[in-house]
Amino acid sequence: MIVHHIPVCPFSQRLEILLALKGKRDAVEFRVVDITRPREPEHLAKTGGSTALPVLETDDGVVLRESMVLLQFLEDSFPEPAIAEREPVRRAIENMFASMEGGFVSAGYRLVMNQDRGRREALHAKLDAQYAALDAFLVRYAPDRTFLFEDFGWAEAVYTSMFQRFWFLDYYEDYDIPNALARVRRYRDACVAHPAAQQVTREEIVKLYYDYAKNAGNGALVEGRARSSFVFEPHWSKRPWPPRDKYGVSATDAELGLS
Ligand SMILES: N[C@@H](CCC(=O)N[C@@H](CS)C(=O)NCC(=O)O)C(=O)O
């Protein structure tokens, strides 16, 4: 089977993490799509016009999308070792926790893309509330463990790539989880350090997501710029660190090492 993906996309990374946990990373071919270019007509024909990634093509040519659906599909396709909980109550707890990801992801992306200093405090508070909900859940169901259950598993495959993307909040927003939310801080720290989740680095995220910090998502161009921070060349490791002040400064292609 084939997964069409953007290497730095957190939704695709969920699949890579699950496969790494199963020792099956090589059972799926990952094909890279350049998000800064329009999708190829053949790609759009396959997806029925949808541009969002990841997209999975089964061996029979069926096209599937939505990362949570694809996670379950991979879990079902490669059942051993199971990563999702099998006991019904534990699986339900895991699903309740995973169902909180949508609001969490939106709050983080709204904050990184915000350009209005006046809304900053309210957006920080909204993300605090999301972390508080995760914290309360972990305190209730897993007070003495590190992860939701004994090992890094399904829930962690859902959240870890987002915790790593939110390194852009630390850099561009000076945002971190409030100290009072010690349980979810401990959870986040253990998740991002896990060996199965080392597909990206903080430096890569901060540099590639500069345009998100300027409110240009998904490979769109920031006004006055000719190149997206998501281009493959020059490689991110060769570029300077972007300015942290996203409200007062708009870096040029040259300042970002893109030209
Ligand atoms: N809900 C989708 C979100 C996927 C998504 O937003 N992917 C981004 C990349 S991180 C994307 O493909 N953006 C480009 C586009 O939508 O055209 C999922 O979970 O798979």
Side-chain angles (χ1 to χ4, degrees):
M1 58 181 83
I2 303 166
V3 170
H4 302 269
H5 83 143
I6 302 160
V8 78
C9 167
F11 303 100
S12 302
Q13 195 191 349
R14 284 177 172 161
L15 311 185
E16 293 186 80
I17 292 173
L18 189 86
L19 290 168
L21 290 169
K22 289 178 178 290
K24 293 278 190 317
R25 177 60 177 76
D26 295 338
V28 175
E29 181 191 337
F30 279 80
R31 280 197 198 157
V32 172
V33 175
D34 184 346
I35 198 173
T36 66
R37 301 202 174 145
R39 302 282 181 277
E40 300 290 338
E42 306 88 77
H43 181 92
L44 294 174
K46 278 181 193 164
T47 62
S50 168
T51 56
L53 298 161
V55 164
L56 186 148
E57 252 183 286
T58 68
D59 294 338
D60 300 331
V62 179
V63 174
L64 307 170
R65 60 190 169 84
E66 281 303 320
S67 60
M68 295 301 293
V69 173
L70 303 186
L71 266 192
Q72 188 62 57
F73 177 76
L74 293 176
E75 179 73 359
D76 296 340
S77 301
F78 305 107
E80 299 299 335
I83 304 303
E85 293 295 319
R86 293 228 168 127
E87 192 280 316
V89 172
R90 287 166 65 103
R91 180 67 177 140
I93 291 171
E94 187 168 72
N95 277 331
M96 283 196 292
F97 191 56
S99 76
M100 296 157 79
E101 62 89 29
F104 173 68
V105 171
S106 304
Y109 275 78
R110 266 201 297 272
L111 176 55
V112 76
M113 296 181 86
N114 173 49
Q115 303 300 300
D116 177 357
R117 276 183 213 268
R119 290 184 61 221
R120 195 168 168 235
E121 207 174 311
L123 291 171
H124 277 233
K126 285 216 156 75
L127 187 56
D128 285 352
Q130 291 289 331
Y131 274 117
L134 297 180
D135 189 84
F137 194 99
L138 291 166
V139 166
R140 180 166 182 190
Y141 290 102
D144 302 322
R145 290 191 284 261
T146 298
F147 299 117
L148 181 58
F149 293 112
E150 290 73 19
D151 298 315
F152 183 106
W154 180 271
E156 291 71 36
V158 171
Y159 280 101
T160 301
S161 61
M162 291 302 165
F163 292 147
Q164 293 173 328
R165 292 311 166 284
F166 290 1
W167 286 325
F168 57 46
L169 296 176
D170 152 47
Y171 191 82
Y172 295 114
E173 278 290 335
D174 205 15
Y175 177 90
D176 197 4
I177 306 175
N179 282 329
L181 303 176
R183 178 66 188 90
V184 73
R185 282 180 73 100
R186 184 158 65 84
Y187 182 71
R188 186 272 314 267
D189 292 347
C191 284
V192 302
H194 193 275
Q198 300 310 307
Q199 295 81 4
V200 294
T201 65
R202 180 175 184 274
E203 180 179 351
E204 178 180 10
I205 298 298
V206 165
K207 291 181 178 177
L208 292 187
Y209 278 83
Y210 179 71
D211 291 357
Y212 268 83
K214 299 300 296 177
N215 195 26
N218 290 326
L221 278 180
V222 177
E223 213 185 308
R225 296 251 313 279
R227 306 207 70 206
S228 161
S229 58
F230 281 94
V231 290
F232 294 140
E233 290 295 330
H235 192 262
W236 56 265
S237 61
K238 307 272 189 300
R239 307 181 205 164
W241 286 79
R244 293 185 84 146
D245 178 6
K246 65 176 226 192
Y247 292 102
V249 177
S250 202
T252 61
D253 288 337
E255 285 162 347
L256 295 168
L258 293 169
S259 57

